[in-house]
């Protein structure tokens, strides 16, 4: 009865009261959680004494964020979403209605004007403003650009969905020239190297691991070992024997594949958790060997001065070489050419990985991998030798890890065991799981979001404005990584792309819902 | 006496000799010998816990028997000792296919893909162990097209053509049973072992299944061994019935013979303590009266 007699106003005030109450509780919980984490900090003073630093201001910010967030969520966001559901049901615009309201032409025009204005006049405006406001100008510019781009994606979404692969490859091919055009050779380094190459390395690693985890359903926590094998194969063989990158790239792949088989043999009988533990141990063993076999690997010092790759031996990127790329073409000296070359190299390696994976899925071996993930006993009853099937999965996945490893060595010019810690394996696995096991597009998106997102955090000087000058956002990237994973797993438990594309069809290609596919038992 | 001559002319495809399987202290199968004949549908029946599925797992290589010999003789005359082979070789080399009591489909793969996985070894060879196929050699493309034709044939037989592009896990139970049989047939077996194919099916689905099994035998000449509890299926389609109890064979013969065997009746229905003597007497009487009635 009480519900019926409620007038809208009293419902509104009830909501406000509830929102305030929940905000208060949220603030209280945040205070309780963060008082020791954030409010107090142990430190050393000048006399090497342990002192307690009090950071009540920072604590207050955390509490306020929690309380305000809860208030907004209860008072505005949830009622909005509830109304949205009703509107959606009435108008029948179920998935698109929020987006169509969000991407309206007048807003786009405003955003486009702001973006163009700030792109061309942003520096002048920033110079005129006090230093405190400069990051805000950059942020508004970035947001405006992102909005306009998102509108473009939304407007052409049907076309993009139909031609996603082609468009993505074209965009990636034109990415370095566009960046050079906008930011100059030196300025483009950040975008080509830190974003482009970094993301593509992880895309390739995740696609390699996808064969083992996503297709064959074998949980591998030591994948970074193959990355290390590839990197050290190149580093050692090029510095001891002076072999070139193009000889060592396939060799690194073969070595890694051999190690994949070596790992594969003892774990053939293991499943699930046991398999995960043994692969984890394998990853650590490789790293410990690299640390302790100092006579060959130089231990924790690592191997430095690794030779650069050349364009198939025709043009070199060594400054002293006579066939130096810049000298041959009469260009000014810059390290950007090498980075752009590396970008195209890793792009080609990624495309090779994708091509082979797509091809393999349609071959008997690829189908056997997926069948193995679904039911190993049924596989054996159909005459499939599960031993060789598992070993080929390990070897193929490891081979791509090896390729990526030798590329890593060539890009860094330096390898040390510290690059191959367990965290790397965990990140690669997280990307595979977040992207949706087995889906190449989903994994590429996940790698872009995760690796690009953490790189982007370094650029967010605006956070320093909020949290004070001591705040180093990149230290929080793992926190944000974890947060993003939780959000994705709640929102889409099967990853970004949870459906599976069948490898053959009679009448029409229907995606298989994630609820039917299995994750594998090991 | 007619049965005697029957067995003489029949050519055994599978011979189980003195098979025993021990799990710790439990003797699951105890000195079991029987034969399945080429072109027959042989049924293996018995009360729960009689060891039927254990016999199956021994035949198909999933268990290694403690003792005994299992010989599979192919049409071409080649003989395989199944107890020495591992599970996947039993299918790949000896051409013995099986299904499972609890259906084991690849639920995330489509119906068609399930049937393609079953043709793995053939396709693997055609693709030059993946290498030639990866390079796009036409031989693999031809073999792949053929394998789809083969799958289509079995889809038609199992009446699943309309569902070919749906995930196998999405099919109703009866269709999953038929798909599992079709998948086993896609491996091109000479001997098909079905573990309770009618379990959980309604009477109408059972009839469809009977039809499918008959047509498999008729069109491909595949011999069938099945475990079944559903007597309507057993009596309807099988040519030869072997009855197990406590890991031992208690009866062996055509369905009519087995149906009236007092030992079988006793095993299935049980007897009162005071009737035991009577039943044993009856059994002995029959044995004396017609020694040729129980083959071997």
């Amino acid at each position: 009865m009480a519900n019926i007699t409620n007038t809208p106003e009293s419902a509104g005030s009830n909501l406000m009261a509830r929102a305030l109450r929940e905000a208060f509780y949220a603030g209280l919980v945040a205070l309780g959680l963060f008082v020791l984490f954030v409010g107090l900090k142990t430190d050393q003073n000048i006399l090497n004494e342990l002192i307690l630093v009090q950071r009540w201001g920072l604590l207050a910010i955390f509490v306020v964020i929690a309380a305000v967030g809860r208030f907004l969520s209860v008072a505005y966001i949830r009622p909005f979403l509830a109304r949205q559901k009703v509107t959606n049901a009435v108008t029948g615009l179920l998935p698109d209605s929020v987006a169509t309201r969000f991407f309206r032409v007048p807003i786009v025009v405003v955003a486009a004007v702001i973006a163009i204005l700030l792109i061309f006049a942003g520096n002048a405006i920033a110079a005129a403003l006090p230093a405190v406001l400069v990051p805000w100008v950059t942020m508004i510019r970035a947001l405006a650009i992102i909005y306009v781009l998102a509108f473009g994606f939304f407007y052409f979404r049907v076309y993009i969905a139909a031609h996603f692969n082609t468009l993505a490859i074209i965009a990636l091919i034109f990415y370095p020239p566009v960046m050079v055009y906008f930011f100059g050779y030196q300025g483009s380094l950040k975008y080509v190297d830190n974003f482009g190459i970094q993301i593509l390395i992880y895309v390739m690693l995740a696609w390699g691991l996808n064969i083992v985890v996503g297709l064959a359903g074998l949980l591998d926590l030591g994948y970074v070992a193959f990355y290390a094998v590839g990197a050290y194969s190149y580093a050692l063989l090029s510095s001891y024997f002076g072999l070139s990158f193009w000889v060592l790239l396939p060799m690194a792949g073969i070595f890694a594949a051999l190690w994949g088989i070596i790992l594969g043999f003892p774990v053939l009988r293991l499943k699930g958790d046991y398999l995960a533990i043994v692969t984890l141990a394998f990853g650590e063993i490789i790293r410990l060997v690299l640390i302790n076999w100092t006579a060959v690997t130089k231990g924790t010092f690592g191997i430095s001065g690794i030779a650069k790759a050349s364009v198939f031996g025709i043009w070199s990127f060594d400054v002293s070489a006579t066939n130096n790329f810049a000298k041959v073409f009469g260009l000014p000296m810059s390290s950007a050419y090498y980075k752009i070359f590396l970008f195209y190299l890793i792009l080609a390696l990624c495309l090779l990985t994708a091509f082979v994976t797509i091809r393999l899925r349609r071959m008997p071996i690829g189908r056997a991998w997926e069948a193995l993930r679904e039911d190993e006993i049924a596989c054996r009853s159909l005459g499939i030798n599960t031993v060789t099937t598992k070993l080929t999965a390990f070897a193929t996945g490891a081979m791509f890890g090896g390729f990526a490893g030798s590329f890593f060595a060539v890009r860094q010019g330096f390898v040390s065991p510290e690059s191959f810690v367990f965290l790397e394996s965990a990140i690669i696995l997280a990307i595979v799981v977040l992207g949706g096991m087995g889906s190449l597009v989903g994994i590429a998106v996940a790698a872009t979001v995760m690796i690009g997102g953490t790189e982007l955090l370094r650029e967010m000087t605006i956070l320093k404005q909020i949290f004070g000058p001591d705040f180093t956002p990149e230290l929080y990237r793992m926190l944000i990584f974890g947060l993003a994973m939780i959000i994705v797993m709640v929102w889409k438990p099967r990853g970004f792309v949870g459906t599976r594309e069948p490898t053959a069809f009679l009448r029409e290609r229907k995606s298989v819902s994630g609820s039917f596919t299995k994750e594998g038992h090991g | 006496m007619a049965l005697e001559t029957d067995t003489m002319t029949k050519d055994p495809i599978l011979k189980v000799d003195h098979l025993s399987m021990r799990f710790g202290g439990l003797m699951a199968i105890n000195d079991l010998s029987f034969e399945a004949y080429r072109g027959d549908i042989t049924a293996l029946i018995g009360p729960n816990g009689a060891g039927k599925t254990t016999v199956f797992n021994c035949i198909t290589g999933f268990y290694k028997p403690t003792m005994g010999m299992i010989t599979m003789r192919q049409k071409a005359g080649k003989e395989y000792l199944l107890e020495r082979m591992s599970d996947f070789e039993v299918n790949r080399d000896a051409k013995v296919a099986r299904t499972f009591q609890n259906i084991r489909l690849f639920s995330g793969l489509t119906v068609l893909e399930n049937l393609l996985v079953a043709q793995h070894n053939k396709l693997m060879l055609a693709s030059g162990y993946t290498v030639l196929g990866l390079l796009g050699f036409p031989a693999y493309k031809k073999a792949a097209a053929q394998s789809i034709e083969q799958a289509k044939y079995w889809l038609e037989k199992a009446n699943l053509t309309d569902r070919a592009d749906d995930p196998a896990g999405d099919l109703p139970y009866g269709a999953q049973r038929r798909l599992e049989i079709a998948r086993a047939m896609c491996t091109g077996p000479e001997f098909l072992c079905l573990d309770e194919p009618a379990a959980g099916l309604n009477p109408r689905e059972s009839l469809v299944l009977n039809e499918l099994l008959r047509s498999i035998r008729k069109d491909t000449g595949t011999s069938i061994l099945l475990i079944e509890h559903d007597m309507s299926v057993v009596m309807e389609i099988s040519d030869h019935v072997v009855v197990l109890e406590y890991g031992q064979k208690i009866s062996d013969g055509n369905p009519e013979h087995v149906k009236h065997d007092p030992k079988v009746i006793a095993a299935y229905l049980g007897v009162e303590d005071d009737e035991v003597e009577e039943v044993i007497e009856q059994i002995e009487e029959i044995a004396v009266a017609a020694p040729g009635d129980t083959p071997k």
Side-chain angles (χ1 to χ4, degrees), chain A residues 306-337:
Chain A
I306 298 169
K308 285 179 177 175
S310 62
V311 188
F312 303 109
I314 305 169
W315 299 302
S316 153
F317 290 98
D318 281 331
V319 184
S320 52
T322 49
N323 60 345
N324 180 287
F325 185 81
K327 276 186 204 159
V328 171
F329 289 92
L331 297 165
M333 281 291 179
S334 165
S335 60
Y337 311 128

Short mmCIF file of all heavy atoms in Angstrom, two decimals, chain A residues 306-337:
data_model
loop_
_atom_site.label_atom_id
_atom_site.label_comp_id
_atom_site.label_asym_id
_atom_site.label_seq_id
_atom_site.Cartn_x
_atom_site.Cartn_y
_atom_site.Cartn_z
N ILE A 306 72.89 -5.53 -28.62
CA ILE A 306 72.43 -6.52 -29.59
C ILE A 306 72.28 -5.85 -30.95
O ILE A 306 71.76 -4.73 -31.04
CB ILE A 306 71.10 -7.13 -29.14
CG1 ILE A 306 71.29 -7.85 -27.80
CG2 ILE A 306 70.56 -8.09 -30.18
CD1 ILE A 306 70.02 -8.25 -27.14
N ALA A 307 72.74 -6.55 -31.99
CA ALA A 307 72.74 -5.95 -33.33
C ALA A 307 71.33 -5.61 -33.78
O ALA A 307 70.37 -6.32 -33.46
CB ALA A 307 73.36 -6.92 -34.32
N LYS A 308 71.23 -4.51 -34.52
CA LYS A 308 69.92 -4.11 -35.05
C LYS A 308 69.57 -4.98 -36.25
O LYS A 308 70.44 -5.57 -36.89
CB LYS A 308 69.97 -2.65 -35.50
CG LYS A 308 69.96 -1.67 -34.34
CD LYS A 308 70.04 -0.26 -34.86
CE LYS A 308 69.95 0.73 -33.71
NZ LYS A 308 70.13 2.09 -34.14
N ALA A 309 68.29 -5.01 -36.55
CA ALA A 309 67.85 -5.71 -37.75
C ALA A 309 68.08 -4.80 -38.95
O ALA A 309 68.20 -3.59 -38.80
CB ALA A 309 66.38 -6.07 -37.65
N SER A 310 68.18 -5.40 -40.13
CA SER A 310 68.32 -4.59 -41.33
C SER A 310 67.15 -4.91 -42.25
O SER A 310 66.44 -5.89 -42.05
CB SER A 310 69.62 -4.94 -42.03
OG SER A 310 69.60 -6.30 -42.41
N VAL A 311 66.95 -4.07 -43.27
CA VAL A 311 65.87 -4.33 -44.22
C VAL A 311 66.38 -5.42 -45.17
O VAL A 311 66.92 -5.13 -46.23
CB VAL A 311 65.47 -3.06 -44.98
CG1 VAL A 311 64.23 -3.32 -45.82
CG2 VAL A 311 65.24 -1.92 -44.02
N PHE A 312 66.22 -6.67 -44.77
CA PHE A 312 66.68 -7.84 -45.53
C PHE A 312 68.14 -7.72 -45.96
O PHE A 312 68.53 -8.18 -47.03
CB PHE A 312 65.81 -8.05 -46.78
CG PHE A 312 64.36 -8.18 -46.46
CD1 PHE A 312 63.47 -7.17 -46.77
CD2 PHE A 312 63.89 -9.31 -45.79
CE1 PHE A 312 62.13 -7.30 -46.45
CE2 PHE A 312 62.55 -9.43 -45.48
CZ PHE A 312 61.68 -8.41 -45.80
N GLY A 313 68.95 -7.04 -45.17
CA GLY A 313 70.38 -6.91 -45.48
C GLY A 313 70.66 -5.85 -46.52
O GLY A 313 71.83 -5.59 -46.84
N ILE A 314 69.63 -5.21 -47.09
CA ILE A 314 69.87 -4.21 -48.14
C ILE A 314 70.24 -2.87 -47.51
O ILE A 314 71.25 -2.27 -47.82
CB ILE A 314 68.62 -4.04 -49.02
CG1 ILE A 314 68.20 -5.40 -49.58
CG2 ILE A 314 68.88 -3.05 -50.14
CD1 ILE A 314 66.83 -5.39 -50.23
N TRP A 315 69.39 -2.41 -46.59
CA TRP A 315 69.70 -1.17 -45.90
C TRP A 315 69.87 -1.46 -44.42
O TRP A 315 69.10 -2.21 -43.84
CB TRP A 315 68.55 -0.16 -46.07
CG TRP A 315 68.33 0.17 -47.50
CD1 TRP A 315 69.23 0.70 -48.37
CD2 TRP A 315 67.13 -0.03 -48.24
NE1 TRP A 315 68.68 0.85 -49.60
CE2 TRP A 315 67.38 0.41 -49.56
CE3 TRP A 315 65.86 -0.52 -47.93
CZ2 TRP A 315 66.41 0.38 -50.55
CZ3 TRP A 315 64.91 -0.55 -48.92
CH2 TRP A 315 65.18 -0.11 -50.22
N SER A 316 70.87 -0.86 -43.83
CA SER A 316 71.14 -1.09 -42.42
C SER A 316 70.69 0.14 -41.63
O SER A 316 70.49 1.21 -42.19
CB SER A 316 72.63 -1.35 -42.24
OG SER A 316 73.01 -0.97 -40.95
N PHE A 317 70.54 -0.06 -40.34
CA PHE A 317 70.21 1.09 -39.50
C PHE A 317 71.37 1.45 -38.57
O PHE A 317 71.20 2.24 -37.66
CB PHE A 317 68.94 0.80 -38.70
CG PHE A 317 67.72 0.76 -39.56
CD1 PHE A 317 67.21 -0.45 -40.00
CD2 PHE A 317 67.10 1.93 -39.96
CE1 PHE A 317 66.10 -0.49 -40.82
CE2 PHE A 317 65.97 1.90 -40.78
CZ PHE A 317 65.48 0.68 -41.21
N ASP A 318 72.55 0.83 -38.81
CA ASP A 318 73.73 1.22 -38.03
C ASP A 318 74.21 2.57 -38.54
O ASP A 318 74.32 2.78 -39.75
CB ASP A 318 74.84 0.18 -38.21
CG ASP A 318 74.57 -1.03 -37.35
OD1 ASP A 318 73.93 -0.85 -36.30
OD2 ASP A 318 74.99 -2.13 -37.74
N VAL A 319 74.52 3.45 -37.61
CA VAL A 319 74.90 4.81 -38.00
C VAL A 319 76.17 4.78 -38.84
O VAL A 319 76.32 5.52 -39.81
CB VAL A 319 75.10 5.68 -36.75
CG1 VAL A 319 75.39 7.12 -37.14
CG2 VAL A 319 73.87 5.60 -35.86
N SER A 320 77.10 3.85 -38.48
CA SER A 320 78.40 3.86 -39.15
C SER A 320 78.38 3.13 -40.50
O SER A 320 79.28 3.30 -41.31
CB SER A 320 79.43 3.20 -38.24
OG SER A 320 78.94 1.94 -37.83
N ALA A 321 77.36 2.31 -40.73
CA ALA A 321 77.35 1.50 -41.95
C ALA A 321 77.22 2.38 -43.20
O ALA A 321 76.61 3.44 -43.16
CB ALA A 321 76.20 0.51 -41.90
N THR A 322 77.84 1.88 -44.30
CA THR A 322 77.79 2.67 -45.53
C THR A 322 76.41 2.61 -46.17
O THR A 322 76.01 3.53 -46.88
CB THR A 322 78.82 2.14 -46.54
OG1 THR A 322 78.67 0.73 -46.62
CG2 THR A 322 80.23 2.50 -46.13
N ASN A 323 75.72 1.48 -45.94
CA ASN A 323 74.39 1.37 -46.52
C ASN A 323 73.30 1.80 -45.54
O ASN A 323 72.20 1.27 -45.54
CB ASN A 323 74.14 -0.05 -47.04
CG ASN A 323 74.23 -1.08 -45.92
OD1 ASN A 323 74.74 -0.79 -44.84
ND2 ASN A 323 73.75 -2.28 -46.19
N ASN A 324 73.66 2.75 -44.69
CA ASN A 324 72.68 3.26 -43.71
C ASN A 324 71.46 3.81 -44.44
O ASN A 324 71.58 4.51 -45.45
CB ASN A 324 73.33 4.34 -42.86
CG ASN A 324 72.38 4.89 -41.82
OD1 ASN A 324 71.47 5.62 -42.17
ND2 ASN A 324 72.58 4.52 -40.58
N PHE A 325 70.31 3.49 -43.91
CA PHE A 325 69.04 3.84 -44.55
C PHE A 325 68.96 5.34 -44.85
O PHE A 325 68.66 5.76 -45.97
CB PHE A 325 67.90 3.42 -43.63
CG PHE A 325 66.54 3.61 -44.21
CD1 PHE A 325 66.01 2.68 -45.09
CD2 PHE A 325 65.79 4.73 -43.89
CE1 PHE A 325 64.75 2.86 -45.64
CE2 PHE A 325 64.53 4.91 -44.44
CZ PHE A 325 64.01 3.97 -45.31
N ALA A 326 69.27 6.15 -43.83
CA ALA A 326 69.15 7.60 -44.00
C ALA A 326 70.15 8.12 -45.03
O ALA A 326 69.84 8.97 -45.86
CB ALA A 326 69.34 8.29 -42.66
N LYS A 327 71.38 7.55 -44.99
CA LYS A 327 72.43 8.01 -45.93
C LYS A 327 72.03 7.69 -47.36
O LYS A 327 72.14 8.52 -48.26
CB LYS A 327 73.75 7.32 -45.61
CG LYS A 327 74.54 7.99 -44.49
CD LYS A 327 75.90 7.29 -44.37
CE LYS A 327 76.44 7.48 -42.98
NZ LYS A 327 77.44 6.45 -42.65
N VAL A 328 71.56 6.45 -47.57
CA VAL A 328 71.22 6.02 -48.92
C VAL A 328 70.15 6.93 -49.52
O VAL A 328 70.23 7.31 -50.68
CB VAL A 328 70.74 4.55 -48.91
CG1 VAL A 328 70.17 4.15 -50.26
CG2 VAL A 328 71.89 3.64 -48.52
N PHE A 329 69.18 7.30 -48.71
CA PHE A 329 68.08 8.10 -49.23
C PHE A 329 68.29 9.60 -49.01
O PHE A 329 67.40 10.39 -49.28
CB PHE A 329 66.76 7.66 -48.60
CG PHE A 329 66.32 6.33 -49.10
CD1 PHE A 329 66.68 5.16 -48.42
CD2 PHE A 329 65.59 6.22 -50.28
CE1 PHE A 329 66.30 3.93 -48.90
CE2 PHE A 329 65.21 4.99 -50.75
CZ PHE A 329 65.56 3.84 -50.07
N GLY A 330 69.45 9.96 -48.45
CA GLY A 330 69.75 11.36 -48.24
C GLY A 330 68.83 12.04 -47.26
O GLY A 330 68.49 13.22 -47.40
N LEU A 331 68.38 11.28 -46.25
CA LEU A 331 67.48 11.86 -45.25
C LEU A 331 68.28 12.31 -44.05
O LEU A 331 69.40 11.83 -43.82
CB LEU A 331 66.46 10.80 -44.81
CG LEU A 331 65.51 10.29 -45.89
CD1 LEU A 331 64.83 9.02 -45.42
CD2 LEU A 331 64.47 11.36 -46.21
N PRO A 332 67.73 13.24 -43.27
CA PRO A 332 68.42 13.62 -42.03
C PRO A 332 68.46 12.43 -41.07
O PRO A 332 67.54 11.61 -41.06
CB PRO A 332 67.58 14.76 -41.47
CG PRO A 332 66.24 14.59 -42.11
CD PRO A 332 66.49 14.00 -43.45
N MET A 333 69.54 12.30 -40.28
CA MET A 333 69.68 11.19 -39.35
C MET A 333 68.59 11.25 -38.29
O MET A 333 68.32 12.30 -37.73
CB MET A 333 71.05 11.26 -38.65
CG MET A 333 72.17 10.75 -39.51
SD MET A 333 72.00 8.99 -39.72
CE MET A 333 73.39 8.66 -40.76
N SER A 334 67.96 10.10 -38.05
CA SER A 334 66.97 10.03 -36.98
C SER A 334 66.77 8.58 -36.60
O SER A 334 66.93 7.69 -37.44
CB SER A 334 65.64 10.63 -37.44
OG SER A 334 64.62 10.26 -36.56
N SER A 335 66.44 8.35 -35.33
CA SER A 335 66.18 6.97 -34.91
C SER A 335 64.77 6.55 -35.30
O SER A 335 64.40 5.39 -35.15
CB SER A 335 66.36 6.84 -33.41
OG SER A 335 65.47 7.70 -32.76
N ALA A 336 63.98 7.51 -35.79
CA ALA A 336 62.57 7.21 -36.08
C ALA A 336 62.43 6.20 -37.21
O ALA A 336 61.52 5.37 -37.19
CB ALA A 336 61.83 8.48 -36.44
N TYR A 337 63.35 6.24 -38.22
CA TYR A 337 63.23 5.30 -39.33
C TYR A 337 63.26 3.86 -38.83
O TYR A 337 62.49 3.01 -39.28
CB TYR A 337 64.36 5.49 -40.35
CG TYR A 337 64.57 6.90 -40.78
CD1 TYR A 337 65.83 7.49 -40.72
CD2 TYR A 337 63.49 7.67 -41.22
CE1 TYR A 337 66.02 8.79 -41.11
CE2 TYR A 337 63.67 8.98 -41.60
CZ TYR A 337 64.95 9.54 -41.55
OH TYR A 337 65.13 10.82 -41.91
#
